[in-house]
Amino acid sequence: MRLIPFNKLLIVFLTVFTIFSANAAEIWVSPSGNDSNLGTKSNPLATVHMAMRKARELRRLKDPSIKDGIRIIVMNGTYYLNEPLFVRPEDSGTADSPTIIEADANAKPIISGGIEIKNWTKSTTIINGLKKGSVWVADAPKKAGSFIDYRQLWVNGKKAVRAKNTAGTTMERILSWNHEEQTCWIPFKDKSVKFEPGMEMFIVQWWSNANLRIKNIEVQKDSARLSFEEPESRIQSEHPWPAPWISKNNGNSAYFLNNAFSLLNEPGEWYLDKKNAKIYYIPRAGEDINSAIVIAPVLENLVEVKGTIDSPVHHFQFKGISFQYSNWLRPSQQGHVPLQSGLYLLDAYKLKQPGTPNQANLENQAWVGRPRAAVEINYANNIQFESCRFEHLASTGLDLNKGTNHNTVKGNLFKDIGGSAINVGIFSEEAFEAHLPLIIKDEREMCSDEVISDNLITNVTNEDWGTLGISAGFVRNITIEHNEISDVSYSGMAMGWGWTHTPNVMQNNKILGNKIHHYAKHLHDVAGIYTLSAQPGSRIEENYIDKVYNSPYAHDPFLWLYLYTDEGSEGFTIKNNWIAEKKILKNHNGPKGNIWEHNDPYVSTKIKDAAGIRAPYKDLEKEVVIDEKWGLQEMPKPYAIELIGSDFDIEKIKSTLTGFRIVGQELYQWKNHLVIYGKMNQPERTKRKLAGAFPSLEIKIYEDLVYDFQNFERCKDSKPASDWENIVLTANLPADEKLQKEYVEYHKIQFEKWPEVAKGFCNADFQQLQVFKKDRQLILVISIPKGESLDKLNPKTTENNPRVDDWNTLMKKYQSGIEGAKPDETWIFLNKVEVEAKK
């Protein structure tokens, strides 16, 4: 063999490279290409990996063709990865010369971390009592001689269900939990269920869920005691929040068992038999398994953009690329017991003596880890994802973690994701206790100045129910605007971490113009927008939040909210958010408090209509997922409940009402009459709870709303006040039922036949006027702007409006004082009950 002299070899290489560099600003990739090709459109590469290497070399050699940037153009098709794409500091571009990985015109290229499972055959044996041939089987795929493990399977792009013991979306409820023994008792009537290694329990607990690997099942008659593998067994039983729930009122924690061959019995279910390296699947109606595309995820991470604190990645973009089929195996290896937002507990326990240097009353400590993401970003700036798709992913979709700033995520679709669509910012690193405020020494570690806008986030959080559409931790000056979020299991979005009033890195964050609907599908203690900890200068404005799913297994069915400033939240301006009801929670706000203005259904419809995705990305709206079969929360309605007697322990009454989450709850008293007014769900249930606590009291529900004047409905150019004060009165109707009927009929026709009355209420700026009737007694509620007085406003009802006087004269014959009133008294004013805050 004759060797080619080195100088001639160099000439050959330079000749080839010169041919390539003449078109180097564009590097083309095709599934039918070859990585030994030049990378032109007619002679494309086969992998994005090689295209990135080519681009890296062009930058290293400072080739003149890259003056205006490098475009890696990806043609239509699926690109199966053997390893993640790794974007290094050397791949960085500049503002004038970015590197862009983008789809070819009209192409929809897919970067996939999955593997296709083929060669399915019908099982020739009867499985779990099913008809022969109902179950299909294939060899479990292998890599490097070992079979691949995974927790998800997709058939024609639709996620299959890991074999479980309950049908459809139903769940069972635990019987008890023994924290000392770290065991759980469950009902166990179906003796066809057999314990198998790898079997898991999925359990709902407050605002999260847990995946627990079962160590053993001990059956005793119609019950069974479960024990669990470590480390999750200890963590699950030691950590106090969130924990398994035992409740006579709302039911114990819901659960199902999954991942066992004996549980495979329903169309759409699958099971991976690791021992025999087989995979089983029961097709859904209409599925032809012979032509179906069945994908199992392999890689946990599809793309990693990773710089260092001194050499961050910068000016790199993805446009029109689809990221699909990621894996996440930690729950199969160590269980999964989250604290909140999908951050899993590494250790957690209740303190025998409460108190830490940061929080004197803190009674627990926790350390958490962060789930993997399909696309992970660390130490990077000026990275952009535009018009990409994140689909069929096991855990988080996109994660901007540490040292990220000035990145943009806009116009993307996040759909069918097991965890959060987007995580952004540090939460608590593994060595950092979760309740501590983050204080950093080097600003370059901070997540700041990110823009997340105009994305559609739908059908996410579908495996880890405690995750979110968008979850932001310790962040600064980020903008989350004009996204649409639907079909999520928990809250729409959350911002903040630490549960602390202590000043920290968070400030000047903005949540603006988002549209959030159909959330809280599985859990409670939820909100459309949720915040934690002090964030001075932050704004939550002009968002549209509506349509809350009805979770059948929520521990507290009334604890669903539109806006929720949780522990330590302070420094926020929260205004002009359209919400269907003033169902909000201000939980332990800081000493500086927050500014709340005009968060209600009276906000301008222009704000409502402008929320959500803007042009040019509005076509994303056709991808919105709404589970039409899932019920929605019943909106609370106005009621009055009257307590008659002498046992008015106000603190005890308020404590009894706490779990019912009455919107705008207020108490009013006159002598032996106490009226609870507000918007309620299930007033009969509220009455029963009060009756149990106060058996000597007479309790009446006023649910017959015979008259309802609303300023925003009846007054032209109405601008309802941000805050109201209520005046509550009571009177009787005559004993004559004919006269009672006349009174009700007059009020039914008043808006039509006596329009001057409503006009008078508008002139007086009454916000609402409601009349409730129970038997012959009336409860009248007049709402006026906060700070005004009824004595000042009421005369305006008759100014230049004599017809109101006629109405008042007519009504007098139907009204008299209740028992105990003076002879000349008709309407009795009840005094608002003020309860001193506990110090």
Side-chain angles (χ1 to χ4, degrees):
M1 178 178 178
R2 188 166 65 92
L3 296 177
I4 301 175
F6 177 77
N7 59 341
K8 292 186 177 181
L9 181 63
L10 182 60
I11 292 171
V12 171
F13 173 79
L14 290 175
T15 302
V16 171
F17 193 80
T18 301
I19 295 171
F20 174 76
S21 64
N23 300 287
E26 289 187 356
I27 304 172
W28 290 76
V29 186
S30 169
S32 59
N34 191 300
D35 277 349
S36 63
N37 289 345
L38 293 179
T40 62
K41 185 173 184 179
S42 59
N43 205 12
L45 303 172
T47 66
V48 179
H49 288 88
M50 182 56 70
M52 289 175 59
R53 181 184 294 186
K54 297 266 188 190
R56 192 179 304 130
E57 287 301 294
L58 292 176
R59 291 207 179 275
R60 183 179 67 85
L61 297 171
K62 298 180 181 179
D63 191 281
S65 66
I66 68 170
K67 178 178 178 293
D68 296 323
I70 302 174
R71 297 172 63 214
I72 296 173
I73 303 172
V74 188
M75 297 182 181
N76 203 44
T78 299
Y79 298 81
Y80 291 98
L81 301 180
N82 292 313
E83 60 180 330
L85 295 176
F86 187 13
V87 184
R88 301 168 167 85
E90 291 81 5
D91 297 314
S92 298
T94 66
D96 295 327
S97 175
T99 296
I100 306 173
I101 298 177
E102 63 179 297
D104 188 14
N106 301 315
K108 297 180 180 179
I110 298 169
I111 293 177
S112 173
I115 187 171
E116 187 173 354
I117 300 175
K118 300 180 179 180
N119 300 319
W120 292 86
T121 60
K122 285 185 178 182
S123 174
T124 57
T125 60
I126 296 175
I127 295 176
N128 296 336
L130 299 173
K131 182 180 177 182
K132 189 182 294 185
S134 299
V135 181
W136 289 68
V137 62
D139 291 331
K142 294 183 178 181
K143 187 175 184 179
S146 300
F147 77 89
I148 300 166
D149 197 8
Y150 40 89
R151 299 174 59 84
Q152 296 81 26
L153 189 76
W154 282 271
V155 180
N156 292 332
K158 185 175 183 179
K159 186 182 289 185
V161 178
R162 222 169 172 215
K164 60 187 183 68
N165 71 316
T166 56
T169 59
T170 61
M171 303 181 77
E172 296 182 335
R173 295 187 182 272
I174 65 172
L175 300 175
S176 64
W177 194 282
N178 189 314
H179 293 269
E180 289 72 29
E181 296 181 0
Q182 300 178 14
T183 57
C184 173
W185 282 95
I186 62 171
F188 206 82
K189 296 181 180 180
D190 185 357
K191 299 305 187 289
S192 67
V193 176
K194 307 295 182 185
F195 169 70
E196 301 170 39
M199 196 173 184
E200 296 181 8
M201 178 189 214
F202 179 95
I203 182 171
V204 173
Q205 36 202 36
W206 291 80
W207 56 85
S208 191
N209 58 260
N211 301 81
L212 308 172
R213 296 169 299 158
I214 298 172
K215 184 176 181 180
N216 189 39
I217 298 178
E218 177 189 339
V219 180
Q220 293 186 15
K221 297 183 179 179
D222 287 341
S223 302
R225 183 170 65 176
L226 275 57
S227 57
F228 307 99
E229 300 285 358
E230 295 292 0
E232 67 266 35
S233 179
R234 175 184 56 81
I235 293 171
Q236 167 72 359
S237 285
E238 285 189 352
H239 82 284
W241 303 106
W245 181 245
I246 305 297
S247 170
K248 292 181 179 179
N249 290 328
N250 301 326
N252 300 342
S253 281
Y255 78 95
F256 57 74
L257 309 179
N258 69 352
N259 197 39
F261 188 67
S262 64
L263 306 179
L264 184 71
N265 57 15
E266 192 173 43
E269 288 188 339
W270 68 281
Y271 174 70
L272 174 61
D273 183 349
K274 298 180 181 180
K275 182 178 179 181
N276 298 302
K278 297 289 183 182
I279 181 168
Y280 297 87
Y281 177 66
I282 305 175
R284 296 181 173 97
E287 284 180 343
D288 181 359
I289 202 68
N290 289 311
S291 61
I293 298 174
V294 183
I295 303 288
V298 180
L299 297 183
E300 292 192 336
N301 183 230
L302 309 185
V303 178
E304 186 172 10
V305 180
K306 188 174 184 180
T308 68
I309 195 167
D310 294 314
S311 299
V313 180
H314 55 88
H315 296 97
F316 199 100
Q317 302 176 19
F318 293 86
K319 188 170 183 178
I321 305 298
S322 182
F323 305 99
Q324 296 189 6
Y325 301 110
S326 67
N327 202 0
W328 191 46
L329 291 175
R330 190 182 191 279
S332 295
Q333 298 163 349
Q334 300 183 65
H336 182 59
V337 186
L339 172 63
Q340 187 164 307
S341 302
L343 281 293
Y344 54 83
L345 289 165
L346 299 166
D347 197 8
Y349 50 85
K350 191 167 185 175
L351 297 171
K352 292 182 179 179
Q353 183 174 339
T356 67
N358 181 58
Q359 297 188 52
N361 298 319
L362 185 65
E363 39 72 53
N364 75 98
Q365 291 193 308
W367 292 261
V368 298
R370 191 180 188 111
R372 294 302 303 271
V375 179
E376 297 178 351
I377 318 292
N378 284 279
Y379 292 110
N381 62 73
N382 293 285
I383 309 300
Q384 181 170 297
F385 291 85
E386 182 180 7
S387 300
C388 294
R389 299 174 71 98
F390 296 77
E391 295 182 275
H392 316 315
L393 307 174
S395 185
T396 309
L398 173 64
D399 192 343
L400 296 100
N401 185 359
K402 189 174 184 180
T404 67
N405 60 83
H406 295 91
N407 302 301
T408 303
V409 181
K410 64 178 181 180
N412 304 284
L413 171 68
F414 294 84
K415 186 176 183 179
D416 185 17
I417 297 175
S420 295
I422 302 173
N423 277 347
V424 54
I426 299 170
F427 286 80
S428 297
E429 296 187 282
E430 293 189 358
F432 195 80
E433 204 280 318
H435 301 88
L436 293 173
L438 179 64
I439 301 171
I440 59 175
K441 295 181 179 180
D442 193 327
E443 288 290 323
R444 294 176 298 172
E445 295 181 3
M446 190 64 208
C447 176
S448 66
D449 299 279
E450 315 284 32
V451 176
I452 301 171
S453 68
D454 299 284
N455 302 284
L456 173 61
I457 297 169
T458 189
N459 182 24
V460 301
T461 75
N462 58 31
E463 293 218 6
D464 186 344
W465 292 350
T467 51
L468 301 106
I470 300 174
S471 183
F474 290 107
V475 293
R476 176 186 298 164
N477 197 34
I478 76 164
T479 301
I480 302 173
E481 64 179 355
H482 287 280
N483 303 281
E484 180 168 353
I485 299 175
S486 75
D487 201 53
V488 291
S489 300
Y490 178 50
S491 296
M493 64 174 69
M495 187 159 66
W497 193 251
W499 292 268
T500 175
H501 301 282
T502 304
N504 59 85
V505 298
M506 294 186 289
Q507 58 184 321
N508 299 326
N509 297 313
K510 296 172 281 294
I511 299 176
L512 310 172
N514 299 281
K515 181 179 180 180
I516 303 169
H517 58 103
H518 293 89
Y519 61 96
K521 191 170 185 177
H522 295 294
L523 302 179
H524 82 301
D525 201 357
V526 301
I529 298 174
Y530 170 95
T531 66
L532 273 176
S533 299
Q535 302 182 46
S538 295
R539 297 160 50 205
I540 301 174
E541 298 178 14
E542 300 190 359
N543 300 283
Y544 166 33
I545 310 172
D546 198 8
K547 302 291 190 303
V548 184
Y549 280 129
N550 180 30
S551 169
Y553 300 108
H555 295 326
D556 184 343
F558 305 117
L559 189 44
W560 57 269
L561 309 153
Y562 296 110
L563 298 165
Y564 186 173
T565 50
D566 204 355
E567 289 192 50
S569 294
E570 63 178 65
F572 284 94
T573 296
I574 306 165
K575 68 179 184 180
N576 293 331
N577 296 286
W578 194 101
I579 55 178
E581 183 52 72
K582 277 195 173 182
K583 206 165 189 314
I584 59 179
L585 183 56
K586 307 171 185 180
N587 186 24
H588 303 299
N589 287 337
K592 297 179 182 178
N594 299 307
I595 298 171
W596 292 81
E597 293 180 1
H598 299 288
N599 303 291
D600 47 49
Y602 317 122
V603 171
S604 169
T605 56
K606 291 181 180 179
I607 288 176
K608 180 179 178 181
D609 295 340
I613 300 168
R614 299 167 295 190
Y617 308 107
K618 288 188 72 67
D619 278 354
L620 285 170
E621 293 175 344
K622 65 185 179 184
E623 299 270 5
V624 169
V625 172
I626 297 172
D627 193 337
E628 299 288 357
K629 296 180 181 178
W630 210 271
L632 295 176
Q633 285 283 358
E634 178 187 356
M635 294 298 294
K637 298 176 182 178
Y639 293 97
I641 297 179
E642 184 183 22
L643 284 64
I644 304 171
S646 57
D647 184 18
F648 290 155
D649 183 335
I650 300 299
E651 287 289 351
K652 185 178 178 181
I653 290 172
K654 294 192 78 171
S655 176
T656 304
L657 295 172
T658 297
F660 295 94
R661 314 288 173 185
I662 299 173
V663 179
Q665 173 185 304
E666 292 179 336
L667 277 62
Y668 298 84
Q669 185 176 0
W670 179 76
K671 293 185 178 179
N672 63 333
H673 296 262
L674 184 76
V675 171
I676 303 160
Y677 172 72
K679 291 186 176 180
M680 313 178 194
N681 294 100
Q682 303 181 9
E684 285 289 347
R685 187 175 172 185
T686 309
K687 177 184 176 181
R688 288 196 300 270
K689 190 73 178 289
L690 287 166
F694 302 94
S696 64
L697 297 180
E698 179 186 355
I699 303 175
K700 299 194 296 183
I701 299 175
Y702 290 78
E703 56 188 340
D704 186 3
L705 187 58
V706 299
Y707 182 75
D708 187 15
F709 164 85
Q710 295 293 329
N711 183 293
F712 77 100
E713 291 179 343
R714 302 292 174 181
C715 304
K716 185 179 180 182
D717 300 323
S718 168
K719 293 183 179 179
S722 179
D723 293 304
W724 302 354
E725 291 181 354
N726 297 319
I727 295 95
V728 177
L729 307 92
T730 186
N732 268 345
L733 293 174
D736 187 333
E737 291 185 3
K738 180 182 176 183
L739 294 178
Q740 293 179 28
K741 186 176 179 181
E742 285 180 12
Y743 176 87
V744 171
E745 289 299 320
Y746 268 116
H747 282 78
K748 285 182 179 179
I749 64 170
Q750 188 216 72
F751 294 121
E752 179 184 355
K753 303 293 186 181
W754 296 74
E756 297 85 355
V757 177
K759 182 180 178 182
F761 296 156
C762 293
N763 291 340
D765 203 20
F766 287 179
Q767 301 298 294
Q768 71 173 1
L769 194 148
Q770 296 177 322
V771 180
F772 298 89
K773 175 179 174 292
K774 173 68 175 177
D775 301 323
R776 56 181 289 218
Q777 189 174 342
L778 303 174
I779 299 288
L780 169 64
V781 179
I782 303 173
S783 304
I784 61 176
K786 192 169 185 178
E788 292 285 0
S789 77
L790 186 62
D791 288 342
K792 174 184 173 183
L793 297 180
N794 196 45
K796 295 182 180 182
T797 62
T798 58
E799 283 183 6
N800 302 314
N801 197 351
R803 187 97 157 126
V804 176
D805 287 324
D806 295 341
W807 171 267
N808 291 335
T809 300
L810 177 63
M811 289 298 109
K812 283 183 180 179
K813 79 173 195 176
Y814 298 106
Q815 300 163 358
S816 62
I818 64 171
E819 183 179 351
K822 296 177 182 179
D824 59 341
E825 287 182 319
T826 302
W827 285 103
I828 300 294
F829 284 79
L830 286 81
N831 297 313
K832 186 175 180 180
V833 178
E834 303 289 353
V835 181
E836 290 187 9
K838 291 184 178 180
K839 296 182 180 179

